[in-house]
Amino acid sequence: MISRKAARRAALIVLYQWDLTRQPVTSLYDGELDPYALGLAHDVIEQAKALDERITALSDEWPAYRLGHVERAVLRIALVELDRGEIPVEVAISEAVALAKRFASEDAARLVNGILGHVARAQ
């Protein structure tokens, strides 16, 4: 078992690849995926269409498909975690922003923060 932070990172990598290829998750990761990361990935894939609709609505009608693959995957992961209610909203947002900074850019991190800020204000 790895930390949730590491599991989110693994889920992001798998979901990025899935978003590009639509291949099964098991074929996208070398080795065994942590159960938390695997659960996140499966939940995101299962709910991808609904998550993208939420992202579009939360981003002032900027369609989710126009976002970068990393930003979209980070937002999907954060929304799934928020829906699960297992972690505080602030933690989900902070972790999502950190992933966006690390794997995309400062601008992506601001975008992720802004979109998830809408979620935080609604809760």
Side-chain angles (χ1 to χ4, degrees):
M1 192 81 137
I2 59 176
S3 72
R4 284 199 176 176
K5 182 177 278 200
R8 282 183 199 96
R9 190 171 43 245
L12 173 63
I13 292 166
V14 168
L15 289 166
Y16 173 83
Q17 293 175 37
W18 173 81
D19 205 19
L20 289 171
T21 67
R22 298 296 196 228
Q23 297 296 313
V25 170
T26 54
S27 70
L28 299 173
Y29 196 79
D30 200 22
E32 191 172 322
L33 198 56
D34 175 79
Y36 189 79
L38 185 60
L40 273 177
H42 281 300
D43 287 352
V44 166
I45 290 167
E46 183 178 290
Q47 301 170 41
K49 184 177 180 195
L51 292 169
D52 287 353
E53 289 169 2
R54 286 175 64 194
I55 291 166
T56 297
L58 291 165
S59 62
D60 299 322
E61 301 304 318
W62 183 268
Y65 72 84
R66 293 193 63 195
L67 297 174
H69 293 283
V70 172
E71 294 92 328
R72 190 170 41 246
V74 167
L75 287 165
R76 287 170 173 167
I77 289 168
L79 289 173
V80 165
E81 285 195 306
L82 288 169
D83 289 347
R84 288 178 175 178
E86 297 173 351
I87 60 173
V89 173
E90 299 81 15
V91 173
I93 293 172
S94 175
E95 290 292 323
V97 169
L99 283 172
K101 277 183 188 176
R102 180 170 181 191
F103 291 99
S105 66
E106 288 288 331
D107 287 339
R110 283 191 290 277
L111 173 79
V112 166
N113 189 51
I115 292 172
L116 293 177
H118 289 298
V119 176
R121 286 187 292 280
Q123 292 186 346

